[in-house]
Amino acid sequence: MQTLGSNASSFNRADGRKRTVWPDAALPGVRTNFARRSLRVSDATDELSHRYVRVRHQTEALITPLGPEDMVVQSMPDASPAKWHLAHTTWFFEAFLLSIHSPGYRVFDPDYNFLFNSYYEALGPRLPRAQRGLLTRPSSIDVMAYRRYVDGHMRKLLQSGISAVTEDLVRLGLAHEEQHQELLLMDVLHLFSRSPTKPTYDKEWPVDAVGRGGRFKGMSGGPFELGATAASFAFDNECPRHTTWLQPFEISDRLVTNGEWLAFMADGGYARPELWLSDGWTLVQSEAWNSPLYWVQTPDGWSQMTLRGLRTVETDAPVTHVSYYEAAAYAHWASARLPTEAEWECAARAGLLEQVEEVAWQWTQSAYSAYPGFRPAENAAGEYNGKFMVGQVVLRGGASVTPAHHSRLTYRNFYRPEQRWMFSGVRLARDLNQSGESSELTAADSDFAVDVVAGLSAREKTLPPKYFYDAAGSELFEAIGQTPEYYPTRVETALLQQFASEIATGIAEGAVLVEFGSGASEKTRVILDAAPQIAVYVPIDVSEDALAKAAAALSRDYPKLPVVPVAEDFTAAIRLPAAAQGRVKIGFFPGSTIGNFTEAEALRFLRSVRQLLGDNCVLMIGADLVKDEATLVAAYNDVEGITARFNKNLLARINRELGGDFDLDAFDHLAIWNAELTRIEMHLVSRADQIVNAAKHTFAFKAGERLHTEDSHKFTTESFANLAARAGWSVSREWISAAPQFAIFSLAPQRSDSLLSTARRTRTMETKSIKVPGPNHPISIEPNPARVTVRVGGRIIADTRSALTLREGGYAAVQYIPQEDVDMTLLRRTDHHTYCPYKGECAYYSIPLGGDRSVNAVWTYEAPYAAVAAIKDHVAFYPDRVDAIEEQKESKKA
Ligand code: SAH
Ligand code: AVI
């Protein structure tokens, strides 16, 4: 992909996470209270020293394709020569760190403060910006010597052990240098674009990725928490996080393409004053603009100057290098508008957007100004932000030239509305009215419409269950979980709580938790609480409202945990966000949502998750088990009628979103058990012959005709393990509740070198089933009031008044005797072990005194499961492997 060496690869799209730059050498202040204080001092210093070296090398890697002449010329006042960037970023460390925090430091050259200060009044007079191209001296060699000199002193400073304030300044200096890495590329591109030979900076520079989506995504509006919290590094202009109000809106999931821009141009976009803001129209005329900045008309059509040289304009790629005026005119032409920065941040946090950071900064319609409560940082570096908060517009996201991991969803880039040499693009937004309808009717060609038309046109009418979950449907599902009949939510949550700490032991430090069909993310909390080592949470759900609400609530309650929601259909090809990369992945698919798939869908899903999560992953799946029909049917036919409302909400959603005219009272909710296919089926049954319109189509229903809306398959431990095995997974642990039985399976990828047949591969050697005692397998433990003694070889080896009597199912009662009342010196531990799914791992002892008869005569549960915790530190004896186990009832003392 790159010829700039490994350093430069942190610039482009590959991982989708990028970040930005300030308009020309701009330096925002930084807050000092971000949450990285848990690192030990030496770890923090090591990490910082390495980062310092990486970032400084990265800048130098960027100039390797440049010759000495390329480094000096200033192609316009907004751009700076590459040599100036190299020196200015170095000056930052000298002026803000070494001169203040390194006792005895002598500046490299006293003139450099004048030459390489960008904006800082507090640090004295400086070379006017437009004269940076006059600096033939100092030479590039001098500037590189300056870099080495400052790097040497910085190395010493970093190794000397630095204060938190100094550390913050170093991090700020590195963020500042990353901004200049982007500026350097912007400025080189501008310089080369002015050259008649149109030079190539890097012929391997990646091309901009084409977006997949192309849909508007709706958001319901309401209060929204905008801005950065104290939990991680952010610039002062991103703070404080504060509540703002959003009207309902929709936002395009991808950026405007070159092809769309060509249509705008062909429709006279640059020649129609009615589309333009007044200042923009003046500029279009005075500058004779008729295309984005780097477009060049050739006999073969439009080409575009890029870092790869002059290339044909790709119609599917996003348009870049347009000013705010052009973006606003385009939006006007497209019957849309630009999003506000709050709308952008809200949609990005909800995971609705593609091309967030990897192609171009996105113009918002928000003026760059202070958030309520904004306070500039109190150091000299804080001079920057406050004084630029006028006459500029906010851009959000990140660009192909932004260093990886530099930006964040709260990042506020800003430029003047006429500027366009930065990598700027366009994302559209539109108002929704209060009932959530678009100002433009786009719903008719949505996936939903297509699936509804196909499903209602089929001979046996059916609809995919994923469409249950609009905002109302997600809330109804939560309400179902509260009904007494719908046991799966309650039982699975209790099972998770009971085994949380055990589940947590299988989760690696720094792992990412990826949840499929996360809904309200309530069960997730049990795992997060038990496994604080989880470093990132990625909830995936089609229900945008549920996802946005859950992500906001989790961010509030787990402020240190990055929550990166993905609003996608998890049966489609999902890409995990960059924050998940390089981490061990823990998949979590609770709720028995896997039961809503057909067998083929479940296999496809499990196989694709196997690919998505990689080799070292764990996948935990909650699955409901087959049980008696009455319990099952009641769970899907609650007396209060909430499941019926959930089922009928599908019709309400069609009415709302696809202009349908379903009469909800003309259908009955039906839930039946299909024993042959081991599934609960939900249907809506037409009460009469009727005609229904939806999605611009007409459908006839006969009286009694069913619309099949959902299957909930139920499993046995065997059927589930078999399914998993066919998709490349082995069950390594399973936890099973008391009745009504529900299971959680922990799956591991099958080893590819396994020669075992599928049937044998369904369980790994270590598979452990964990069961909770209940009515089908009751266990009771009671103190035994009798004195209990055990005799072997004629000797009393145990004598207690504190025995516990354990009764289990149909087995004989067993006396568990506290070890302190047993002469343990007479026992010999053996390597015999057994496993009980209700009680846990069991270890054994022989009693040499008893001879052959007493081999493995004694057992103990050293870490018994919670339901039988009382027998810890007790041992029990096989009656036929000892002489006698005697109980003497003692009369109560008077
Ligand atoms: N995990 C939660 C919610 C289960 S409800 C729990 O256990 O209680 C099922 C969830 O899966 C809903 O939030 C629904 O929106 C989501 N879902 C259903 N089909 C989906 C699909 N194809 N892609 C993504 N999410 C889906
Ligand atoms: C999400 N899914 C597993 C639920 C189920 O049990 O099939 C959805 C549901 N349908 C009716 N009630 C609950």
Side-chain angles (χ1 to χ4, degrees):
M1 291 246 303
Q2 293 278 344
T3 55
L4 295 178
S6 58
N7 285 334
S9 66
S10 67
F11 275 83
N12 247 297
R13 69 210 66 261
D15 68 0
R17 292 247 130 194
K18 310 288 116 108
R19 315 302 153 139
T20 194
V21 173
W22 301 76
D24 98 27
L27 177 61
V30 69
R31 288 174 307 108
T32 56
N33 57 342
F34 56 92
R36 43 130 183 83
R37 308 256 183 246
S38 55
L39 285 179
R40 285 187 301 115
V41 171
S42 59
D43 287 348
T45 311
D46 279 357
E47 180 264 328
L48 197 57
S49 299
H50 285 126
R51 194 163 127 62
Y52 180 89
V53 171
R54 269 201 319 274
V55 173
R56 299 281 288 168
H57 277 168
Q58 170 91 332
T59 309
E60 289 164 26
L62 292 179
I63 58 158
T64 51
L66 303 182
E69 293 82 358
D70 298 328
M71 306 254 291
V72 179
V73 176
Q74 181 171 28
S75 57
M76 64 162 172
D78 277 341
S80 301
K83 186 171 71 178
W84 190 89
H85 287 297
L86 292 176
H88 165 72
T89 47
T90 307
W91 167 85
F92 177 93
F93 290 107
E94 180 169 79
F96 289 106
L97 275 142
L98 296 174
S99 298
I100 300 168
H101 298 286
S102 186
Y105 176 77
R106 292 177 51 150
V107 296
F108 181 74
D109 184 324
D111 285 343
Y112 283 15
N113 193 52
F114 176 78
L115 298 179
F116 299 123
N117 176 0
S118 52
Y119 281 112
Y120 298 90
E121 299 290 346
L123 296 180
R126 67 216 152 271
L127 178 74
R129 182 187 171 86
Q131 294 177 24
R132 290 175 188 166
L134 301 179
L135 294 179
T136 54
R137 305 294 171 93
S139 67
S140 297
I141 291 172
D142 293 337
V143 166
M144 292 312 287
Y146 180 37
R147 287 183 72 89
R148 294 289 79 81
Y149 177 80
V150 165
D151 286 347
H153 284 277
M154 281 299 296
R155 193 179 316 117
K156 278 193 217 133
L157 178 68
L158 288 169
Q159 282 164 3
S160 67
I162 53 174
S163 69
V165 171
T166 315
E167 187 186 327
D168 287 339
L169 271 173
V170 177
R171 289 188 192 280
L172 179 60
L174 294 173
H176 168 247
E177 181 138 353
E178 287 179 337
Q179 295 177 326
H180 278 273
Q181 291 168 356
E182 177 167 340
L183 281 169
L184 192 152
L185 291 169
M186 285 159 53
D187 294 350
V188 165
L189 179 59
H190 189 264
L191 175 67
F192 283 8
S193 79
R194 304 296 309 277
S195 164
T197 63
K198 300 282 179 275
T200 295
Y201 168 75
D202 175 3
K203 66 180 179 5
E204 302 293 330
W205 191 267
V207 291
D208 288 337
V210 171
R212 286 190 289 137
R215 287 187 193 290
F216 278 82
K217 302 275 175 91
M219 298 215 72
S220 52
F224 174 66
E225 296 290 307
L226 176 66
T229 63
S232 54
F233 179 93
F235 292 129
D236 56 3
N237 65 357
E238 299 163 56
C239 303
R241 183 172 275 205
H242 60 283
T243 306
T244 188
W245 186 267
L246 294 176
Q247 292 298 115
F249 69 98
E250 57 182 1
I251 186 164
S252 175
D253 57 4
R254 65 152 164 79
L255 304 187
V256 169
T257 64
N258 288 324
E260 289 163 336
W261 204 267
L262 283 164
F264 166 67
M265 286 161 54
D267 198 31
Y270 281 91
R272 291 168 48 184
E274 75 274 16
L275 299 176
W276 292 77
L277 292 163
S278 172
D279 289 353
W281 181 241
T282 304
L283 205 63
V284 165
Q285 291 172 300
S286 65
E287 298 292 320
W289 282 355
N290 65 353
S291 70
L293 173 60
Y294 291 129
W295 287 27
V296 181
Q297 200 152 24
T298 69
D300 299 332
W302 286 97
S303 290
Q304 179 181 12
M305 185 60 187
T306 72
L307 290 168
R308 295 160 68 96
L310 198 61
R311 320 290 296 193
T312 305
V313 166
E314 293 292 338
T315 51
D316 287 343
V319 71
T320 56
H321 301 287
V322 290
S323 64
Y324 176 78
Y325 293 129
E326 288 163 288
Y330 177 90
H332 189 165
W333 174 78
S335 305
R337 60 175 174 79
L338 300 175
T340 65
E341 60 174 320
E343 289 169 341
W344 190 99
E345 189 171 316
C346 178
R349 259 197 244 156
L352 302 186
L353 309 184
E354 289 183 35
Q355 300 176 324
V356 171
E357 300 176 316
E358 57 270 45
V359 180
W361 293 96
Q362 295 138 50
W363 286 107
T364 71
Q365 60 165 258
S366 301
Y368 175 56
S369 62
Y371 282 165
F374 166 72
R375 284 226 189 81
E378 279 167 8
N379 49 29
E383 184 183 321
Y384 180 70
N385 269 319
K387 73 184 188 184
F388 286 104
M389 285 176 169
V390 68
Q392 315 218 37
V393 186
V394 173
L395 296 96
R396 291 303 203 102
S400 54
V401 285
T402 311
H405 311 297
H406 178 74
S407 191
R408 31 188 181 272
L409 296 184
T410 56
Y411 204 110
R412 305 175 81 201
N413 202 349
F414 52 91
Y415 283 94
R416 293 195 307 275
E418 73 280 10
Q419 289 176 311
R420 53 184 201 160
W421 99 109
M422 64 287 185
F423 287 64
S424 49
V426 186
R427 184 185 296 279
L428 297 178
R430 292 193 290 229
D431 297 328
L432 287 178
N433 64 25
Q434 293 300 331
S435 58
E437 285 159 8
S438 172
S439 44
E440 289 282 293
L441 193 70
T442 53
D445 57 0
S446 66
D447 289 347
F448 184 33
V450 171
D451 288 347
V452 164
V453 171
L456 296 185
S457 309
R459 203 162 51 83
E460 292 182 354
K461 293 185 172 65
T462 181
L463 288 172
K466 70 177 179 187
Y467 293 118
F468 279 133
Y469 301 95
D470 62 352
S474 294
E475 277 175 20
L476 282 166
F477 175 77
E478 290 305 304
I480 288 173
Q482 304 291 319
T483 62
E485 295 93 338
Y486 192 76
Y487 60 85
T489 304
R490 205 171 47 249
V491 173
E492 186 182 29
T493 306
L495 201 58
L496 280 169
Q497 279 160 345
Q498 192 168 354
F499 293 103
S501 51
E502 198 177 315
I503 290 171
T505 58
I507 299 180
E509 188 68 38
V512 51
L513 184 68
V514 180
E515 181 169 351
F516 302 92
S518 45
S521 290
E522 282 298 333
K523 293 167 188 162
T524 324
R525 290 167 181 262
V526 182
I527 302 216
L528 293 176
D529 290 342
Q533 69 270 35
I534 291 172
V536 179
Y537 174 50
V538 178
I540 305 174
D541 206 295
V542 270
S543 178
E544 289 164 9
D545 286 84
L547 192 64
K549 266 194 207 149
L554 280 191
S555 296
R556 187 190 59 226
D557 296 342
Y558 299 81
K560 293 200 177 149
L561 179 76
V563 177
V564 192
V566 175
E568 296 269 7
D569 181 335
F570 51 49
T571 59
I574 299 248
R575 272 178 310 171
L576 290 180
Q581 282 175 11
R583 298 184 177 283
V584 172
K585 287 153 191 96
I586 307 294
F588 185 40
F589 191 26
S592 203
T593 303
I594 192 166
N596 297 135
F597 289 141
T598 62
E599 185 183 66
E601 286 167 343
L603 287 170
R604 210 176 311 128
F605 173 82
L606 288 170
R607 287 186 188 123
S608 79
V609 170
R610 169 81 184 75
Q611 293 301 316
L612 187 74
L613 300 185
D615 279 346
N616 294 323
C617 69
V618 173
L619 174 60
M620 282 179 300
I621 301 190
D624 195 13
L625 299 182
V626 174
K627 54 184 63 64
D628 65 280
E629 181 169 350
T631 305
L632 285 167
V633 171
Y636 291 82
N637 198 12
D638 60 282
V639 171
E640 221 188 315
I642 304 212
T643 310
R645 280 171 56 203
F646 174 73
N647 201 1
K648 289 189 183 186
N649 179 56
L650 196 49
L651 306 184
R653 182 175 184 187
I654 294 172
N655 286 351
R656 226 175 12 247
E657 293 183 24
L658 302 178
D661 59 4
F662 274 103
D663 172 3
L664 271 53
D665 293 332
F667 289 85
D668 287 320
H669 165 72
L670 173 71
I672 46 173
W673 172 239
N674 182 332
E676 198 184 335
L677 298 173
T678 61
R679 70 190 194 198
I680 285 280
E681 295 177 1
M682 287 206 321
H683 301 263
L684 288 163
V685 188
S686 178
R687 285 191 182 162
D689 288 353
Q690 53 180 318
I691 298 290
V692 177
N693 298 293
K696 299 188 177 152
H697 287 70
T698 302
F699 308 98
F701 284 83
K702 293 230 159 305
E705 185 178 351
R706 290 177 184 182
L707 164 57
H708 190 163
T709 51
E710 187 186 57
D711 289 319
S712 287
H713 290 90
K714 307 298 169 184
F715 302 86
T716 61
T717 49
E718 290 71 26
S719 71
F720 188 89
N722 196 278
L723 181 78
R726 287 163 62 203
W729 296 93
S730 305
V731 177
S732 45
R733 304 292 296 271
E734 60 194 27
W735 294 273
I736 298 161
S737 74
Q741 280 196 320
F742 192 98
I744 296 169
F745 297 95
S746 177
L747 307 184
Q750 272 168 6
R751 295 221 327 267
S752 53
D753 59 355
S754 170
L755 296 173
L756 300 174
S757 70
T758 297
R760 289 182 58 212
R761 267 192 273 127
T762 55
R763 308 269 169 131
T764 57
M765 299 303 282
E766 320 84 64
T767 298
K768 246 189 212 169
S769 175
I770 299 178
K771 298 186 178 174
V772 178
N776 293 343
H777 190 105
I779 296 185
S780 69
I781 300 175
E782 279 161 21
N784 187 346
R787 175 178 179 184
V788 179
T789 52
V790 180
R791 226 169 353 99
V792 184
R795 274 179 72 169
I796 301 284
I797 68 163
D799 184 352
T800 186
R801 290 184 169 80
S802 310
L804 295 172
T805 306
L806 184 144
R807 291 192 177 80
E808 179 170 4
Y811 300 102
V814 174
Q815 302 304 325
Y816 280 82
I817 302 176
Q819 290 183 11
E820 61 202 29
D821 293 338
V822 178
D823 186 348
M824 296 296 286
T825 60
L826 298 176
L827 308 186
R828 290 284 171 276
R829 178 76 167 226
T830 71
D831 55 11
H832 183 59
H833 277 267
T834 56
Y835 176 71
C836 164
Y838 296 95
K839 303 198 284 304
E841 289 288 348
C842 186
Y844 286 78
Y845 296 86
S846 297
I847 315 169
L849 267 178
D852 286 352
R853 188 180 65 155
S854 297
V855 169
N856 293 323
V858 188
W859 73 89
T860 181
Y861 288 91
E862 288 169 337
Y865 292 148
V868 294
I871 59 172
K872 184 167 163 40
D873 298 328
H874 289 58
V875 295
F877 294 80
Y878 281 108
D880 57 345
R881 299 186 193 181
V882 295
D883 299 348
I885 302 173
E886 287 159 329
E887 296 185 47
Q888 298 159 24
K889 301 254 181 317
E890 294 190 328
S891 55
K892 279 191 190 145
K893 291 203 176 102

